[in-house]
Amino acid sequence: MITIYQRIDAFNKLGELFCDISSQKEDSKYNEWTTVFDKKINEAYKYNNWFTRENCLLSFKNWSKELTTENLSKWIDNYNLKDCSNNTIAIIMAGNIPLVGFHDFICANILNYKCLIKMSSDDKILLPVVIDFLDFISPGFKKDIEFTDKPLKNFDGVIATGNNSSFKYFEYYFKKYPKLLRKNRHSIAVLDGNESKENLIDLGNDIFNYFGMGCRNVSKIFVPKNYSFDLLFESFFEFKEIIKHNRYVNNYDYNKAVYLMSQQKFIENGFLILKKDNKLGSPIACLFYETYHSIKEIEKYIKINSNSLQCIVSNSNLSNSISFGSSQKPKINDYADNIDTLNFLLKI
């Protein structure tokens, strides 16, 4: 049986590989595997062209910083771990950004669960080759990992990520099982008008990385009343090349046409539509905003909408807020929907 320390070592080496790939290192000690991954990145893009090379490399880069022996060891030191090799966890993964379900797999694998994985049809290329590499580093690693596209059977608990509609289906279908279910969440940014251009460029990363398709991407901002958007748009000019992506520009053109035909007010800069709207989640190529008078209004809003929020990005002194530019850089101990996945697995 592979020990937890062997698993940590394998994930650490995966982090090294991710670092070499994302930095395009030419003399990697994993040269054979960098070639394999290069082909898989091309394949992932051909299958789903939201998964550009840049976005795949961004995912690898962010994971490389977390997959270290030190980080993983500190993480698990906070738990009374046990061997769960007699249990099978079913994992239903989303597919909105590259390797979006990887954290659930790590949590289950660290506890030695047998994993029954149903990948999203939008993200089915990268995870299998990641697990092939882990099996190369630690032979036998993938012995108890099964991918399936058939109805799930013979499992002891389930982790499922989807949208609000699939959440209701999951609740009914898995009603007899221990379950960790996730639905739509969105991230916001709160500006106070004192942000530097560097702050706003960092905010641009929170908005535009992965084309804004992740639940950790900022989809709405709150600004003080009478806020000037000039510096914001000037800072966002750094991301103008995004409009060259065919599916992004199609979304931009479509949403712009809808707003024009319905005579809704908005401003735009040629690649982003900024619209005042009380909705939380904005469509691709759009960013909603609301104005506020006092920070107490924001605190109240966050409290009321806590079950729909993933990240709060701000320089203001808001509870649980994170800095600009960090929304798509979660730590290994950051859990989706703020539900501790390891604790859930340990209770099955």
Side-chain angles (χ1 to χ4, degrees):
M1 179 185 295
I2 300 174
T3 68
I4 190 170
Y5 302 105
Q6 290 172 313
R7 294 176 189 279
I8 287 176
D9 182 64
F11 283 122
N12 176 71
K13 288 181 169 61
L14 176 64
E16 293 175 349
L17 173 64
F18 279 170
C19 182
D20 289 351
I21 295 172
S22 60
S23 63
Q24 301 182 34
K25 186 176 181 181
E26 294 184 0
D27 58 342
S28 171
K29 63 181 178 181
Y30 305 114
N31 269 342
E32 178 183 347
W33 282 96
T34 59
T35 301
V36 171
F37 271 77
D38 187 68
K39 292 178 180 178
K40 288 298 180 180
I41 290 171
N42 291 336
E43 186 179 339
Y45 174 69
K46 288 178 182 177
Y47 186 79
N48 174 5
N49 66 10
W50 288 117
F51 283 23
T52 61
R53 172 171 293 275
E54 291 76 17
N55 281 341
C56 290
L57 295 184
L58 177 61
S59 177
F60 292 171
K61 178 181 178 180
N62 291 339
W63 272 116
S64 73
K65 294 177 180 178
E66 294 306 305
L67 296 178
T68 67
T69 299
E70 180 181 6
N71 286 342
L72 293 166
S73 299
K74 285 182 178 178
W75 174 46
I76 64 171
D77 280 348
N78 295 311
Y79 300 86
N80 293 317
L81 300 188
K82 64 179 181 180
D83 178 76
C84 299
S85 56
N86 291 325
N87 289 344
T88 298
I89 187 72
I91 306 176
I92 301 175
M93 296 182 172
N96 46 328
I97 67 176
L99 291 178
V100 69
F102 189 46
H103 190 270
D104 289 335
F105 168 75
I106 294 175
C107 291
N109 188 267
I110 284 291
L111 298 179
N112 203 22
Y113 265 91
K114 296 180 179 69
C115 293
L116 180 61
I117 301 173
K118 177 169 278 195
M119 294 182 294
S120 166
S121 59
D122 289 331
D123 183 16
K124 65 178 187 178
I125 306 297
L126 297 176
L127 184 59
V129 71
V130 166
I131 291 174
D132 284 344
F133 174 78
L134 291 168
D135 192 66
F136 168 78
I137 292 298
S138 184
F141 194 100
K142 67 178 183 180
K143 176 175 65 71
D144 292 321
I145 301 168
E146 178 184 353
F147 293 102
T148 183
D149 55 6
K150 299 177 181 178
L152 298 171
K153 296 179 180 179
N154 303 319
F155 56 92
D156 301 288
V158 62
I159 300 172
T161 304
N163 56 31
N164 290 349
S165 297
S166 59
F167 180 87
K168 296 177 181 178
Y169 168 78
F170 292 152
E171 275 193 315
Y172 174 78
Y173 191 83
F174 299 118
K175 59 186 176 182
K176 297 180 181 179
Y177 297 91
K179 52 191 172 293
L180 193 168
L181 307 180
R182 307 190 187 103
K183 53 184 177 180
N184 288 352
R185 289 213 176 204
H186 306 280
S187 297
I188 63 172
V190 181
L191 282 62
D192 61 16
N194 296 313
E195 290 79 16
S196 66
K197 184 175 181 179
E198 289 72 24
N199 289 153
L200 297 177
I201 291 172
D202 285 340
L203 172 61
N205 283 307
D206 296 323
I207 294 167
F208 293 107
N209 282 350
Y210 306 117
F211 300 104
M213 296 179 70
C215 63
R216 299 182 66 91
N217 283 108
V218 168
S219 58
K220 183 170 187 173
I221 61 173
F222 289 84
V223 298
K225 195 168 181 62
N226 299 320
Y227 178 82
S228 171
F229 290 100
D230 292 346
L231 182 59
L232 186 76
F233 268 164
E234 180 186 336
S235 304
F236 286 176
F237 196 66
E238 294 274 334
F239 304 91
K240 64 182 184 300
E241 297 299 311
I242 196 170
I243 200 66
K244 293 182 179 180
H245 188 273
N246 64 321
R247 293 178 74 176
Y248 183 90
V249 71
N250 288 342
N251 277 270
Y252 174 84
D253 290 341
Y254 172 80
N255 289 312
K256 183 176 177 179
V258 168
Y259 294 150
L260 285 170
M261 291 176 66
S262 57
Q263 297 184 332
Q264 297 186 55
K265 294 181 179 180
F266 64 89
I267 55 178
E268 52 92 16
N269 61 0
F271 59 92
L272 179 70
I273 296 167
L274 186 65
K275 179 177 178 292
K276 191 172 185 178
D277 202 301
N278 60 10
K279 297 187 187 72
L280 189 52
S282 56
I284 294 171
C286 301
L287 178 67
F288 290 161
Y289 78 93
E290 282 191 62
T291 60
Y292 69 91
H293 291 87
S294 72
I295 205 69
K296 289 184 178 180
E297 293 177 47
I298 302 299
E299 291 170 346
K300 182 179 180 181
Y301 181 93
I302 291 171
K303 185 175 181 180
I304 293 172
N305 294 280
S306 60
N307 289 333
S308 299
L309 294 174
Q310 191 69 263
C311 298
I312 302 159
V313 180
S314 181
N315 278 347
S316 302
N317 188 24
L318 290 167
S319 178
N320 297 318
S321 65
I322 59 177
S323 59
F324 293 110
S326 62
S327 73
Q328 281 294 356
K329 300 176 182 178
K331 302 299 182 184
I332 193 68
N333 59 350
D334 285 336
Y335 296 103
D337 295 11
N338 297 314
I339 302 173
D340 190 317
T341 312
L342 273 184
N343 267 338
F344 164 75
L345 291 167
L346 285 167
K347 293 176 181 177
I348 296 177

